[in-house]
Amino acid sequence: FFKLWVAQVISATGDWLGLIAIISLAERISDGSEGTAIALVLGARIAPGFFLATAAGVIVDRLNRKKVMLVCDVGRAAVLFSLPFVDTLYGLIIASFILEIFTMLWSPAKEAIVPNLVPKDKLTTANSLNVAAAYGMFPVAAGLAALLAKLSERFADEGWVDTWQLNEEGLAFYIDGLSFLATALLVSTIVYRRRSPAERIEGKSGNWDLGGALRELREGWRFIAVNPIVRAVNVGLATAVIGGGMLVPLGAIFVDEVISGEPADFNLILFALGCGMAVGVIAASVLQNKINRAKVFPFALVLAGAALFVAG
């Protein structure tokens, strides 16, 4: 499990770093429509999860989870190594879409392996560590992006620098690709008990019933509509995600045009945002048995909205 957790830490850092570099590249090649370009690229990252998340779980359940993770890591590395040479918005959108497909398959494969590595009484702790790895690496990735932006300024204007696209985004993409290769290497050393073909059939996971995925999706939406508490939480969560998602495409323009900062300054603001997110996730995990969730949830939404008013 420790190997898997370290692999997730590296993978999460790579995911965040790649996202920040993709936003920066979209802003640079947007030709005057930065907000639209960033929104389209982020839409390509969100769309697979919105439409295919349940189907991805069904697919992964029929395959060797370890092999799925290895293929996804190598696939993401290949896409990232090609991104420094992408100079069109359409190419960036396609690359973002492919990256998200690989990430969607990697995550449920990782989640399915965890119960085979830790005892049942440790699953809650393991899941908390996984959440910390997923969100705690955001400020690390943002700080790394800021350092790479400063490092790229030190490179002389030589032919080989332009040939290999060793600018701010290019360096981030190369390091990101290497991080996924390192993750693949770690995952390849993990040993766990695999299910036999008989167990797969017994668990009704031997056939490719994608229709079942659609039925589960409909049942989920029906449950949200019927249960008032679940409905309220999901509406609040969806609203928060919409508001938080706006920070990314608008934030880059806000820094550039309102604060009149350098592009690297946006990475510093993302670093601050990531630190706040990490503190929030850690505090929620530590205090989960001592806080009134029904009161803290709406209070957090109101506080986030107030912070945005102050920022504006």
Side-chain angles (χ1 to χ4, degrees):
F1 175 75
F2 178 70
K3 289 181 181 179
L4 182 64
W5 186 79
V6 172
Q8 187 179 0
V9 167
I10 298 173
S11 177
T13 305
D15 276 333
W16 290 119
L17 180 61
L19 179 63
I20 293 170
I22 285 173
I23 292 171
S24 177
L25 181 59
E27 184 183 15
R28 183 163 61 82
I29 65 177
S30 61
D31 194 23
S33 303
E34 294 91 345
T36 302
I38 296 172
L40 288 173
V41 170
L42 292 179
R45 293 294 296 263
I46 295 170
F50 188 78
F51 293 104
L52 305 174
T54 306
V58 174
I59 293 171
V60 168
D61 198 42
R62 272 80 177 161
L63 300 174
N64 183 306
R65 280 85 177 255
K66 183 175 176 179
K67 290 182 179 178
V68 169
M69 294 174 70
L70 291 173
V71 170
C72 290
D73 283 328
V74 174
R76 288 189 288 187
V79 173
L80 286 161
F81 285 140
S82 67
L83 273 175
F85 307 98
V86 172
D87 57 0
T88 65
L89 182 59
Y90 294 111
L92 192 56
I93 290 172
I94 293 172
S96 298
F97 184 83
I98 296 172
L99 279 174
E100 191 60 25
I101 291 290
F102 282 131
T103 301
M104 277 179 47
L105 294 172
W106 192 91
S107 295
K110 182 265 299 179
E111 296 293 341
I113 287 178
V114 172
N116 296 319
L117 298 176
V118 297
K120 288 184 178 180
D121 60 332
K122 300 293 183 182
L123 278 178
T124 301
T125 303
N127 290 332
S128 297
L129 287 171
N130 288 338
V131 171
Y135 293 99
M137 292 301 104
F138 184 22
V140 175
L144 183 58
L147 289 175
L148 291 175
K150 295 296 183 182
L151 180 61
S152 65
E153 296 174 0
R154 296 180 177 274
F155 283 128
D157 190 13
E158 302 287 348
W160 62 273
V161 174
D162 293 333
T163 300
W164 294 101
Q165 298 295 317
L166 296 178
N167 51 23
E168 173 187 347
E169 298 89 9
L171 286 174
F173 289 138
Y174 288 135
I175 291 179
D176 197 4
L178 291 174
S179 74
F180 286 121
L181 292 181
T183 302
L185 184 62
L186 267 174
V187 170
S188 68
T189 64
I190 295 174
V191 178
Y192 68 98
R193 179 183 173 276
R194 295 181 177 85
R195 297 171 301 166
S196 66
E199 287 175 320
R200 293 186 183 185
I201 294 174
E202 185 180 353
K204 297 182 180 180
S205 57
N207 56 359
W208 293 76
D209 183 18
L210 293 180
L214 295 177
R215 287 193 296 273
E216 290 178 12
L217 191 61
R218 285 198 300 269
E219 290 173 5
W221 281 107
R222 190 178 298 115
F223 181 69
I224 291 173
V226 170
N227 190 302
I229 296 177
V230 175
R231 183 172 64 246
V233 170
N234 277 276
V235 169
L237 187 59
T239 305
V241 171
I242 291 171
M246 289 179 184
L247 290 176
V248 180
L250 294 178
I253 302 171
F254 188 84
V255 172
D256 184 43
E257 297 185 5
V258 179
I259 303 178
S260 299
E262 297 295 326
D265 291 342
F266 181 53
N267 294 330
L268 296 177
I269 290 179
L270 287 179
F271 174 74
L273 184 68
C275 287
M277 182 162 56
V279 170
V281 169
I282 294 171
S285 299
V286 172
L287 302 174
Q288 58 182 331
N289 295 323
K290 299 179 180 179
I291 59 177
N292 186 326
R293 297 178 181 85
K295 292 182 178 179
V296 170
F297 182 71
F299 176 74
L301 294 177
V302 173
L303 192 62
L308 287 175
F309 274 112
V310 173

Short mmCIF file of all heavy atoms in Angstrom, two decimals, residues 122-159:
data_model
loop_
_atom_site.label_atom_id
_atom_site.label_comp_id
_atom_site.label_asym_id
_atom_site.label_seq_id
_atom_site.Cartn_x
_atom_site.Cartn_y
_atom_site.Cartn_z
N LYS A 122 -8.60 -1.02 8.32
CA LYS A 122 -7.69 0.07 7.97
C LYS A 122 -8.13 0.81 6.70
O LYS A 122 -7.45 1.73 6.27
CB LYS A 122 -6.26 -0.46 7.76
CG LYS A 122 -5.66 -1.15 8.98
CD LYS A 122 -5.40 -0.16 10.10
CE LYS A 122 -4.73 -0.84 11.28
NZ LYS A 122 -4.52 0.10 12.41
N LEU A 123 -9.25 0.41 6.12
CA LEU A 123 -9.68 1.01 4.85
C LEU A 123 -9.99 2.50 5.00
O LEU A 123 -9.68 3.30 4.12
CB LEU A 123 -10.91 0.28 4.31
CG LEU A 123 -10.63 -1.02 3.55
CD1 LEU A 123 -11.94 -1.67 3.12
CD2 LEU A 123 -9.75 -0.75 2.33
N THR A 124 -10.61 2.88 6.14
CA THR A 124 -10.93 4.30 6.34
C THR A 124 -9.66 5.14 6.39
O THR A 124 -9.58 6.21 5.77
CB THR A 124 -11.72 4.48 7.65
OG1 THR A 124 -12.92 3.70 7.57
CG2 THR A 124 -12.08 5.94 7.85
N THR A 125 -8.65 4.64 7.10
CA THR A 125 -7.37 5.36 7.17
C THR A 125 -6.72 5.42 5.80
O THR A 125 -6.18 6.47 5.40
CB THR A 125 -6.43 4.65 8.16
OG1 THR A 125 -7.07 4.58 9.44
CG2 THR A 125 -5.12 5.40 8.29
N ALA A 126 -6.77 4.31 5.07
CA ALA A 126 -6.18 4.27 3.73
C ALA A 126 -6.86 5.27 2.80
O ALA A 126 -6.19 5.99 2.03
CB ALA A 126 -6.27 2.86 3.16
N ASN A 127 -8.19 5.35 2.88
CA ASN A 127 -8.92 6.29 2.03
C ASN A 127 -8.60 7.74 2.40
O ASN A 127 -8.51 8.60 1.51
CB ASN A 127 -10.43 6.04 2.14
CG ASN A 127 -10.85 4.74 1.48
OD1 ASN A 127 -10.21 4.28 0.54
ND2 ASN A 127 -11.90 4.13 1.99
N SER A 128 -8.42 8.01 3.69
CA SER A 128 -8.04 9.36 4.11
C SER A 128 -6.66 9.73 3.56
O SER A 128 -6.44 10.86 3.12
CB SER A 128 -8.04 9.45 5.64
OG SER A 128 -9.34 9.23 6.15
N LEU A 129 -5.74 8.78 3.59
CA LEU A 129 -4.40 9.03 3.04
C LEU A 129 -4.48 9.27 1.53
O LEU A 129 -3.75 10.11 0.99
CB LEU A 129 -3.49 7.84 3.33
CG LEU A 129 -3.03 7.68 4.79
CD1 LEU A 129 -2.31 6.36 4.98
CD2 LEU A 129 -2.11 8.84 5.18
N ASN A 130 -5.37 8.54 0.85
CA ASN A 130 -5.52 8.73 -0.59
C ASN A 130 -6.06 10.12 -0.91
O ASN A 130 -5.62 10.77 -1.87
CB ASN A 130 -6.44 7.65 -1.16
CG ASN A 130 -5.80 6.28 -1.20
OD1 ASN A 130 -4.58 6.17 -1.18
ND2 ASN A 130 -6.60 5.24 -1.23
N VAL A 131 -7.03 10.58 -0.11
CA VAL A 131 -7.58 11.93 -0.32
C VAL A 131 -6.50 12.98 -0.08
O VAL A 131 -6.37 13.96 -0.84
CB VAL A 131 -8.79 12.16 0.61
CG1 VAL A 131 -9.22 13.61 0.57
CG2 VAL A 131 -9.95 11.26 0.20
N ALA A 132 -5.71 12.78 0.98
CA ALA A 132 -4.62 13.73 1.26
C ALA A 132 -3.62 13.77 0.12
O ALA A 132 -3.11 14.84 -0.25
CB ALA A 132 -3.92 13.33 2.56
N ALA A 133 -3.33 12.60 -0.47
CA ALA A 133 -2.39 12.55 -1.60
C ALA A 133 -2.97 13.26 -2.82
O ALA A 133 -2.26 13.99 -3.52
CB ALA A 133 -2.05 11.10 -1.94
N ALA A 134 -4.27 13.06 -3.05
CA ALA A 134 -4.89 13.63 -4.25
C ALA A 134 -4.94 15.15 -4.20
O ALA A 134 -4.63 15.83 -5.19
CB ALA A 134 -6.30 13.06 -4.41
N TYR A 135 -5.32 15.72 -3.05
CA TYR A 135 -5.51 17.16 -2.97
C TYR A 135 -4.32 17.89 -2.36
O TYR A 135 -4.10 19.07 -2.64
CB TYR A 135 -6.78 17.48 -2.17
CG TYR A 135 -8.03 17.05 -2.87
CD1 TYR A 135 -8.68 15.86 -2.53
CD2 TYR A 135 -8.58 17.82 -3.88
CE1 TYR A 135 -9.83 15.45 -3.18
CE2 TYR A 135 -9.73 17.43 -4.55
CZ TYR A 135 -10.35 16.23 -4.19
OH TYR A 135 -11.47 15.83 -4.86
N GLY A 136 -3.56 17.20 -1.54
CA GLY A 136 -2.43 17.84 -0.89
C GLY A 136 -1.30 18.18 -1.84
O GLY A 136 -0.44 19.02 -1.53
N MET A 137 -1.29 17.55 -3.02
CA MET A 137 -0.22 17.80 -3.98
C MET A 137 -0.47 19.02 -4.86
O MET A 137 0.40 19.42 -5.64
CB MET A 137 -0.02 16.57 -4.88
CG MET A 137 0.54 15.35 -4.15
SD MET A 137 2.14 15.69 -3.38
CE MET A 137 1.67 15.83 -1.65
N PHE A 138 -1.66 19.61 -4.76
CA PHE A 138 -1.95 20.79 -5.58
C PHE A 138 -0.98 21.93 -5.30
O PHE A 138 -0.38 22.49 -6.23
CB PHE A 138 -3.40 21.21 -5.36
CG PHE A 138 -3.85 22.36 -6.23
CD1 PHE A 138 -3.19 22.67 -7.41
CD2 PHE A 138 -4.94 23.12 -5.87
CE1 PHE A 138 -3.61 23.73 -8.21
CE2 PHE A 138 -5.37 24.19 -6.66
CZ PHE A 138 -4.69 24.48 -7.83
N PRO A 139 -0.79 22.33 -4.03
CA PRO A 139 0.17 23.42 -3.78
C PRO A 139 1.59 23.05 -4.18
O PRO A 139 2.36 23.92 -4.61
CB PRO A 139 0.05 23.67 -2.26
CG PRO A 139 -0.55 22.43 -1.70
CD PRO A 139 -1.45 21.90 -2.77
N VAL A 140 1.95 21.78 -4.03
CA VAL A 140 3.29 21.35 -4.45
C VAL A 140 3.45 21.53 -5.96
O VAL A 140 4.47 22.06 -6.43
CB VAL A 140 3.53 19.87 -4.06
CG1 VAL A 140 4.87 19.38 -4.60
CG2 VAL A 140 3.46 19.70 -2.56
N ALA A 141 2.44 21.12 -6.72
CA ALA A 141 2.50 21.26 -8.17
C ALA A 141 2.52 22.73 -8.58
O ALA A 141 3.26 23.11 -9.51
CB ALA A 141 1.31 20.55 -8.81
N ALA A 142 1.72 23.56 -7.91
CA ALA A 142 1.70 25.00 -8.24
C ALA A 142 3.05 25.64 -7.95
O ALA A 142 3.55 26.46 -8.73
CB ALA A 142 0.59 25.69 -7.46
N GLY A 143 3.64 25.29 -6.80
CA GLY A 143 4.97 25.82 -6.48
C GLY A 143 6.01 25.35 -7.47
O GLY A 143 6.89 26.12 -7.89
N LEU A 144 5.92 24.09 -7.89
CA LEU A 144 6.85 23.55 -8.88
C LEU A 144 6.68 24.27 -10.22
O LEU A 144 7.68 24.56 -10.91
CB LEU A 144 6.61 22.05 -9.04
CG LEU A 144 7.55 21.29 -9.99
CD1 LEU A 144 9.00 21.45 -9.57
CD2 LEU A 144 7.16 19.81 -10.05
N ALA A 145 5.44 24.56 -10.60
CA ALA A 145 5.19 25.29 -11.84
C ALA A 145 5.81 26.68 -11.80
O ALA A 145 6.38 27.15 -12.79
CB ALA A 145 3.68 25.38 -12.10
N ALA A 146 5.70 27.35 -10.64
CA ALA A 146 6.31 28.67 -10.50
C ALA A 146 7.83 28.59 -10.62
O ALA A 146 8.47 29.43 -11.26
CB ALA A 146 5.91 29.29 -9.16
N LEU A 147 8.44 27.57 -10.01
CA LEU A 147 9.89 27.39 -10.11
C LEU A 147 10.33 27.11 -11.55
O LEU A 147 11.34 27.65 -12.03
CB LEU A 147 10.34 26.25 -9.20
CG LEU A 147 10.29 26.51 -7.68
CD1 LEU A 147 10.64 25.25 -6.92
CD2 LEU A 147 11.24 27.65 -7.31
N LEU A 148 9.57 26.29 -12.25
CA LEU A 148 9.91 25.98 -13.64
C LEU A 148 9.77 27.22 -14.53
O LEU A 148 10.54 27.39 -15.48
CB LEU A 148 9.00 24.86 -14.16
CG LEU A 148 9.22 23.49 -13.54
CD1 LEU A 148 8.18 22.50 -14.04
CD2 LEU A 148 10.63 22.97 -13.87
N ALA A 149 8.79 28.06 -14.21
CA ALA A 149 8.64 29.30 -14.98
C ALA A 149 9.87 30.19 -14.81
O ALA A 149 10.36 30.79 -15.78
CB ALA A 149 7.38 30.04 -14.54
N LYS A 150 10.38 30.29 -13.57
CA LYS A 150 11.59 31.08 -13.34
C LYS A 150 12.80 30.42 -13.99
O LYS A 150 13.68 31.10 -14.55
CB LYS A 150 11.82 31.23 -11.84
CG LYS A 150 10.75 32.02 -11.11
CD LYS A 150 10.70 33.47 -11.59
CE LYS A 150 9.68 34.27 -10.81
NZ LYS A 150 9.60 35.69 -11.29
N LEU A 151 12.87 29.09 -13.95
CA LEU A 151 14.00 28.37 -14.54
C LEU A 151 14.05 28.55 -16.05
O LEU A 151 15.12 28.71 -16.63
CB LEU A 151 13.89 26.88 -14.20
CG LEU A 151 15.00 25.97 -14.74
CD1 LEU A 151 16.36 26.38 -14.19
CD2 LEU A 151 14.69 24.51 -14.42
N SER A 152 12.87 28.55 -16.70
CA SER A 152 12.84 28.70 -18.15
C SER A 152 13.37 30.06 -18.60
O SER A 152 13.89 30.19 -19.71
CB SER A 152 11.41 28.52 -18.66
OG SER A 152 10.56 29.55 -18.19
N GLU A 153 13.27 31.08 -17.73
CA GLU A 153 13.78 32.40 -18.08
C GLU A 153 15.31 32.44 -18.13
O GLU A 153 15.89 33.33 -18.74
CB GLU A 153 13.28 33.43 -17.06
CG GLU A 153 11.76 33.59 -17.06
CD GLU A 153 11.29 34.49 -15.93
OE1 GLU A 153 12.16 34.98 -15.17
OE2 GLU A 153 10.06 34.73 -15.81
N ARG A 154 15.95 31.47 -17.49
CA ARG A 154 17.41 31.45 -17.44
C ARG A 154 18.04 30.80 -18.68
O ARG A 154 19.23 30.93 -18.90
CB ARG A 154 17.89 30.72 -16.18
CG ARG A 154 17.49 31.43 -14.89
CD ARG A 154 17.99 30.66 -13.68
NE ARG A 154 17.68 31.36 -12.44
CZ ARG A 154 18.45 32.30 -11.90
NH1 ARG A 154 19.60 32.64 -12.49
NH2 ARG A 154 18.11 32.89 -10.77
N PHE A 155 17.21 30.08 -19.44
CA PHE A 155 17.76 29.43 -20.63
C PHE A 155 18.07 30.48 -21.69
O PHE A 155 17.26 31.37 -21.97
CB PHE A 155 16.77 28.41 -21.21
CG PHE A 155 16.73 27.12 -20.44
CD1 PHE A 155 15.52 26.61 -19.99
CD2 PHE A 155 17.88 26.41 -20.16
CE1 PHE A 155 15.46 25.43 -19.28
CE2 PHE A 155 17.84 25.22 -19.45
CZ PHE A 155 16.62 24.73 -19.01
N ALA A 156 19.25 30.36 -22.27
CA ALA A 156 19.63 31.28 -23.34
C ALA A 156 18.78 31.02 -24.58
O ALA A 156 18.23 29.93 -24.77
CB ALA A 156 21.11 31.11 -23.67
N ASP A 157 18.67 32.02 -25.42
CA ASP A 157 17.86 31.90 -26.63
C ASP A 157 18.67 31.15 -27.69
O ASP A 157 19.13 31.72 -28.67
CB ASP A 157 17.45 33.29 -27.13
CG ASP A 157 16.41 33.19 -28.24
OD1 ASP A 157 15.86 32.10 -28.43
OD2 ASP A 157 16.19 34.20 -28.92
N GLU A 158 18.84 29.86 -27.47
CA GLU A 158 19.60 29.03 -28.38
C GLU A 158 18.66 28.20 -29.25
O GLU A 158 17.49 28.00 -28.93
CB GLU A 158 20.52 28.09 -27.58
CG GLU A 158 21.49 28.81 -26.66
CD GLU A 158 22.62 29.51 -27.41
OE1 GLU A 158 22.77 29.25 -28.61
OE2 GLU A 158 23.32 30.32 -26.79
N GLY A 159 19.21 27.68 -30.35
CA GLY A 159 18.41 26.87 -31.26
C GLY A 159 17.85 25.62 -30.62
O GLY A 159 16.68 25.27 -30.83
#
